[in-house]
Amino acid sequence: MQSEDLVTTSKRLRPPVVAVTGAASGLGREFLSRVASSADFRRVVAIDDQRGDVADVTWRVIDVRDPLLANRISDVDVLVHLAADYRLDSDPGERRGYNLRAAQTVLTASAAARVRRVVVVTSAMVYGAAPDNHVPLPEDAPVAAEPDSGVVGDHLEIEALVRRALRSHPGLEVTVLRPAAIVGAGVDTVVTRHFEAPRLLTVKGSAPRWQFCHVEDLVSALELAALGQVSGVVTVGSDGWLEMEQVEELSGLRRFELPAGLTFGTAQRLHRLGITPAPATDLHYVVYPWVVDCASLRAAGWKPAWTNEAAFQQLLELREGRHAVVGRRLPGKEATLTAAGATVAVIGTAAIVRRARRRRRI
């Protein structure tokens, strides 16, 4: 019995073998690049449906939704699942189908292959954005987001899969990272598009607060999660938050205020017409606060390398030359006319709706 204990202890002391899904691009590639040469991992396995360009790792080409995935991860200790489609312009049904099938397969395959730990990324959006939210929200705050057809709905469904997996496979450890609004090259979200508008939409009687999570900080948090230094539900973001006045000063953009009913009602009509990519509930995340307190990471000694100010400055630099209205990308001339003609960002909706209706009649 003592020799078995020694073998078990020896295995735990050895650096783990980590696998990364979605490793050829996006966040998966960023994380893979960081851990490829890390002495904290014995070996790094890259999983994707195509081979990527990161060297010094073991590439295994397979669709993450393939049930045969279990056979390809039998030698893995930790799996970091980063294969997901959160593009705003994806077909909502196809996007959700991919994301849920990928997460379900990863969790089931990991349990079957006796992977010790799975790390999943969702979003702090699952807490919901509301005018009366505490600032900041603790990690154990209730999940209060509205289920919808957008990306937030995908995150909620994935977390439901995680809870079911933990009940079905009690030996499996799953860590869920919930980042604040992500910023970085290639990031395209409801939040980043909000700052591509000519003016900043606000709702009367509400005070937005802004917290960002730079991709580099998310990657360093993922590394701690993969090593088991944080577990359970873990929020990630820059320290503190920016007030609306700071955002206006840094961006040079002016706000305009509309009543909540008009804002969300118009946004929902635009979404039903197929003009805007995200449901109206996604607008909550640019007008109401959803700041989080990164207590678990802080207790583990983690510190974000990026301040909210620095992350926001990069967001502004990356948006140059892009124009969006209520999340819908527009050519520059059209965005300018739209903003001028309609009390700005719900902006231009009358003209856009009329054009959409005319096209439908033809």
Side-chain angles (χ1 to χ4, degrees), residues 110-328:
S110 295
R114 297 189 178 181
V115 173
R116 288 205 313 264
R117 183 181 309 113
V118 175
V119 180
V120 176
V121 175
T122 59
S123 172
M125 285 179 160
V126 299
Y127 293 111
D132 57 352
N133 269 352
H134 289 291
V135 179
L137 291 161
E139 286 172 319
D140 61 356
V143 170
E146 260 186 74
D148 58 28
S149 62
V151 167
V152 181
D154 291 15
H155 292 313
L156 291 170
E157 294 277 2
I158 289 168
E159 292 205 4
L161 289 175
V162 168
R163 290 192 294 273
R164 286 199 286 274
L166 290 172
R167 289 194 297 269
S168 303
H169 310 289
L172 182 65
E173 178 186 329
V174 183
T175 300
V176 177
L177 265 61
R178 295 173 175 170
I182 299 176
V183 173
V187 176
D188 179 24
T189 66
V190 168
V191 172
T192 61
R193 288 194 185 187
H194 177 68
F195 292 99
E196 295 173 15
R199 302 260 307 264
L200 298 178
L201 172 65
T202 59
V203 167
K204 287 183 178 177
S206 177
R209 273 101 173 191
W210 294 94
Q211 181 188 34
F212 301 101
C213 176
H214 196 277
V215 167
E216 290 176 10
D217 287 331
L218 179 53
V219 165
S220 67
L222 279 166
E223 187 172 16
L224 288 186
L227 292 168
Q229 295 181 29
V230 289
S231 60
V233 170
V234 180
T235 53
V236 194
S238 297
D239 291 333
W241 59 88
L242 298 177
E243 299 287 349
M244 191 63 195
E245 292 75 15
Q246 293 173 280
V247 165
E248 287 180 302
E249 184 179 349
L250 289 166
S251 66
L253 296 171
R254 293 172 58 201
R255 79 179 86 179
F256 68 98
E257 289 188 344
L258 290 174
L262 174 62
T263 300
F264 300 123
T266 305
Q268 190 56 39
R269 287 193 292 276
L270 288 173
H271 183 60
R272 280 200 301 268
L273 285 167
I275 293 166
T276 56
T281 47
D282 277 16
L283 268 186
H284 290 187
Y285 296 93
V286 298
V287 297
Y288 297 140
W290 49 293
V291 175
V292 288
D293 179 17
C294 309
S296 295
L297 284 167
R298 195 165 55 246
W302 177 89
K303 291 183 179 178
W306 288 74
T307 62
N308 282 303
E309 290 86 345
F312 182 51
Q313 191 61 52
Q314 187 177 79
L315 187 161
L316 294 172
E317 291 167 4
L318 291 169
R319 80 183 176 116
E320 287 297 324
R322 294 174 177 168
H323 307 277
V325 169
V326 199
R328 179 179 183 263

Side-chain angles (χ1 to χ4, degrees), residues 24-106:
S25 61
L27 179 60
R29 187 188 179 283
E30 293 292 328
F31 178 69
L32 186 69
S33 298
R34 181 180 177 98
V35 300
S37 57
S38 172
D40 291 326
F41 298 98
R42 190 162 78 255
R43 188 153 49 88
V44 179
V45 176
I47 297 171
D48 211 316
D49 58 7
Q50 58 182 339
R51 187 184 178 90
D53 60 358
V54 178
D56 301 320
V57 300
T58 302
W59 282 95
R60 293 177 183 169
V61 178
I62 184 173
D63 188 321
V64 73
R65 299 168 293 178
D66 191 329
L68 293 176
L69 178 66
N71 299 331
R72 311 299 297 274
I73 58 174
S74 58
D75 57 343
V76 167
D77 300 307
V78 182
L79 188 146
V80 179
H81 176 49
L82 301 175
D85 176 11
Y86 292 124
R87 292 171 297 174
L88 286 177
D89 300 322
S90 291
D91 175 86
E94 291 179 6
R95 186 198 65 235
R96 181 158 299 180
Y98 177 88
N99 288 336
L100 298 190
R101 179 70 181 273
Q104 180 66 74
T105 304
V106 161

